[in-house]
Amino acid sequence: MNDAFGQIYDVVKHLVNYLHQHNISIIKDIVVPSIALDKIVAIVGLYYVIKTFRFSNNLSKLNFISQLTQNHREIWSRIVEKELNERITDISADPKTLTKTEKRYILYVILHIKTSYQAHILKVKRLSQEEIKDMGNFLNYPLASQTWNEVKYWHEKKFVKFIEDAQCKAKLNKTSKKRILFSKFARFLKK
């Protein structure tokens, strides 16, 4: 028995000496020949780069959403401050009496909608069905609809289709006689 162990010991000793003489590491070069230490470091480094990129990307998306919300708030605060709301959101407003200020404001809203649409397409910020209907609702008002019909030819076809679909999905029906009568009655009461 001792003789067998002695022979194995001698073989292992000669093997270790041979490997040492030729600068061969048992673990690095024999056990795991395809995974070198430098490759492991590179893989770990790549993992952290990807993790950092994802975090940075999410942070950028959050920043974009924050800016979009701020712009949205600014647009709507103008409507409240200048009381453009009465005519722009009046279902019975005559599009022929559209002022330059109202048209400019509606154009700002359309550009804001386009930014939201582009963020939706790029998957930065997904638009909910309610947000899309809200956009359609706004553009179904007569003054906004008139302005949109004048400028839609400046926009890409996919965006125009998106707006037209949003207008169809919107609850506001621009030809609703009940809404027109209610709007006229509400203006009559204000006088």
Side-chain angles (χ1 to χ4, degrees), residues 25-68:
S25 168
I26 295 175
I27 294 177
K28 184 178 174 187
D29 298 324
I30 296 175
V31 176
V32 189
S34 65
I35 301 180
L37 185 59
D38 57 339
K39 291 179 184 174
I40 292 172
V41 170
I43 290 170
V44 170
L46 183 62
Y47 170 76
Y48 281 109
V49 166
I50 291 170
K51 196 171 183 180
T52 304
F53 174 76
R54 287 180 135 183
F55 176 76
S56 177
N57 192 24
N58 288 337
L59 196 60
S60 295
K61 285 180 182 181
L62 184 62
N63 185 31
F64 175 80
I65 291 168
S66 175
Q67 288 176 348
L68 196 63

Side-chain angles (χ1 to χ4, degrees), residues 30 131 134:
I30 296 175
E131 290 171 317
D134 187 41

Side-chain angles (χ1 to χ4, degrees), residues 66-80:
S66 175
Q67 288 176 348
L68 196 63
T69 302
Q70 183 179 358
N71 292 342
H72 188 77
R73 184 175 46 243
E74 184 181 320
I75 288 172
W76 286 107
S77 68
R78 285 183 186 176
I79 216 172
V80 171

Side-chain angles (χ1 to χ4, degrees), residues 44 73 113 115 174 184-186:
V44 170
R73 184 175 46 243
I113 290 172
T115 302
K174 56 184 169 184
K184 286 181 180 178
F185 180 70

Side-chain angles (χ1 to χ4, degrees), residues 56-122:
S56 177
N57 192 24
N58 288 337
L59 196 60
S60 295
K61 285 180 182 181
L62 184 62
N63 185 31
F64 175 80
I65 291 168
S66 175
Q67 288 176 348
L68 196 63
T69 302
Q70 183 179 358
N71 292 342
H72 188 77
R73 184 175 46 243
E74 184 181 320
I75 288 172
W76 286 107
S77 68
R78 285 183 186 176
I79 216 172
V80 171
E81 288 173 8
K82 296 184 180 181
E83 297 189 13
L84 293 170
N85 195 19
E86 287 184 29
R87 288 214 355 106
I88 291 177
T89 58
D90 183 359
I91 194 74
S92 63
D94 184 9
K96 294 176 186 173
T97 61
L98 180 66
T99 67
K100 287 182 181 180
T101 305
E102 291 167 337
K103 186 172 185 172
R104 188 176 312 117
Y105 175 79
I106 293 168
L107 289 173
Y108 289 153
V109 173
I110 290 171
L111 290 176
H112 181 70
I113 290 172
K114 186 168 186 175
T115 302
S116 299
Y117 165 78
Q118 289 170 334
H120 177 75
I121 294 301
L122 295 173

